[in-house]
């Protein structure tokens, strides 16, 4: 566990209590203090990982691929402090919201693509990225991470949120997590794992590096 926050992320007193915060335009009704806006871990798996002290290894200016960007809640915070941030979202409706989020964030590049088909955006997304952040609600979450390994630098990091119910609603979360991790370890070394239940039921946060 780590108390070190990524450069560009701070703990600030907002709305009467200390919160994670980034500088940027508000997106989802989060409380603000001047140019700073609260990063709500109840609405962000990556925010929960950071709040719980996981060593996500992100730094200001990092080049990031975000898989499962949805309407932009979490990826907006990432783009507030990271470098070029490629945001992949498959569903058209949230992708429209994502486009609006990108209007005020010149380093955020929305892509209406399927994270299970990285060949469809390989011509846009650069290789040698510092981080892949994955938050997809689908079966085969380890496979998605393995397919997108191609974009990571050898010393890059995978920041994965595993959703047990998306993988298999009929099995217990720990059995699902074990199976996902076993497949993931074919191409990644798992550096840290932690249940996110304080903020998100039946979710596992994983930090991993390419083998």
């Amino acid at each position: 566990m780590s108390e070190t926050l990524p450069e560009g992320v701070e703990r600030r007193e907002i709305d009467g209590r200390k919160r994670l915060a980034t500088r940027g335009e508000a997106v989802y009704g989060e409380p603000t203090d001047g140019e700073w806006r609260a990063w709500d871990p109840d609405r962000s798996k990556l925010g929960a990982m950071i709040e719980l002290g996981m060593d996500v290894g992100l730094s200001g200016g990092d080049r990031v691929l975000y898989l499962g960007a949805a309407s932009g809640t979490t990826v907006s915070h990432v783009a507030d402090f990271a470098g070029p941030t490629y945001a992949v979202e498959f569903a058209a409706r949230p992708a429209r919201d994502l486009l609006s989020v990108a209007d005020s964030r010149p380093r955020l590049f929305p892509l209406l693509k399927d994270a299970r088909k990285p060949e469809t955006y390989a011509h846009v997304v650069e290789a040698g990225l510092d981080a892949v952040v994955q938050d997809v609600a689908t079966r085969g979450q380890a496979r998605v991470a393995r397919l997108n390994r191609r974009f990571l630098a050898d010393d890059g990091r995978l920041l994965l949120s595993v959703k047990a119910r998306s993988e298999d609603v009929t099995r217990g979360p720990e059995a699902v997590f074990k199976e996902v991790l076993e497949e993931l370890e074919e191409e990644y070394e798992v550096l840290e794992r932690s249940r996110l239940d304080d903020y998100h039921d039946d979710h596992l946060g994983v930090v991993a590096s390419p083998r």
Side-chain angles (χ1 to χ4, degrees):
M1 295 294 181
S2 173
E3 288 301 316
T4 303
L5 297 176
E7 181 184 353
V9 180
E10 295 186 6
R11 291 191 186 278
R12 300 182 67 89
E13 186 163 329
I14 300 177
D15 201 24
R17 61 187 177 91
K18 286 283 188 180
R19 297 172 178 259
L20 292 175
T22 61
R23 286 189 181 97
E25 184 176 297
V27 169
Y28 53 98
E30 67 275 24
T32 60
D33 179 20
E35 62 184 353
W36 291 89
R37 63 192 188 103
W39 189 346
D40 186 352
D42 289 307
R43 297 187 61 172
S44 169
K45 317 308 186 310
L46 180 60
M49 291 169 68
I50 295 171
E51 190 69 73
L52 291 169
M54 297 185 72
D55 186 4
V56 297
L58 290 172
S59 298
D62 276 354
R63 296 168 301 145
V64 178
L65 172 62
Y66 195 105
L67 306 174
S71 58
T73 296
T74 298
V75 76
S76 66
H77 286 289
V78 174
D80 283 346
F81 67 87
T85 303
Y86 303 95
V88 174
E89 174 52 43
F90 177 67
R93 178 62 187 88
R96 288 197 293 273
D97 295 333
L98 183 60
L99 286 171
S100 297
V101 171
D103 284 344
S104 62
R105 292 174 172 83
R107 298 188 299 273
L108 178 58
F109 304 102
L111 299 170
L112 182 59
K113 299 291 184 180
D114 187 340
R116 296 168 295 185
K117 300 176 181 179
E119 67 277 5
T120 64
Y121 47 88
H123 64 293
V124 177
V125 178
E126 59 193 295
L129 297 179
D130 300 294
V132 170
V133 182
Q134 181 176 319
D135 182 14
V136 297
T138 184
R139 288 180 181 269
Q141 292 167 77
R143 181 173 183 271
V144 170
R146 292 172 60 203
L147 288 171
N148 285 275
R149 158 69 181 85
R150 64 197 290 176
F151 300 109
L152 263 180
D154 290 340
D155 61 350
R157 289 203 177 185
L158 170 71
L159 308 175
L160 170 65
S161 170
V162 182
K163 301 172 174 62
R165 294 173 185 169
S166 294
E167 197 69 36
D168 189 341
V169 72
T170 67
R171 300 168 61 204
E174 279 302 323
V176 172
F177 297 149
K178 180 175 183 294
E179 187 174 275
V180 170
L181 289 171
E182 286 174 352
E183 182 179 348
L184 190 69
E185 287 173 338
E186 294 177 20
E187 293 195 34
Y188 290 90
E189 177 186 359
V190 174
L191 304 176
E192 189 175 355
R193 53 167 286 180
S194 178
R195 291 284 293 258
L196 305 182
D197 296 84
D198 286 354
Y199 301 100
H200 304 277
D201 290 341
D202 299 333
H203 283 70
L204 181 74
V206 179
V207 180
S209 61
R211 289 192 181 278

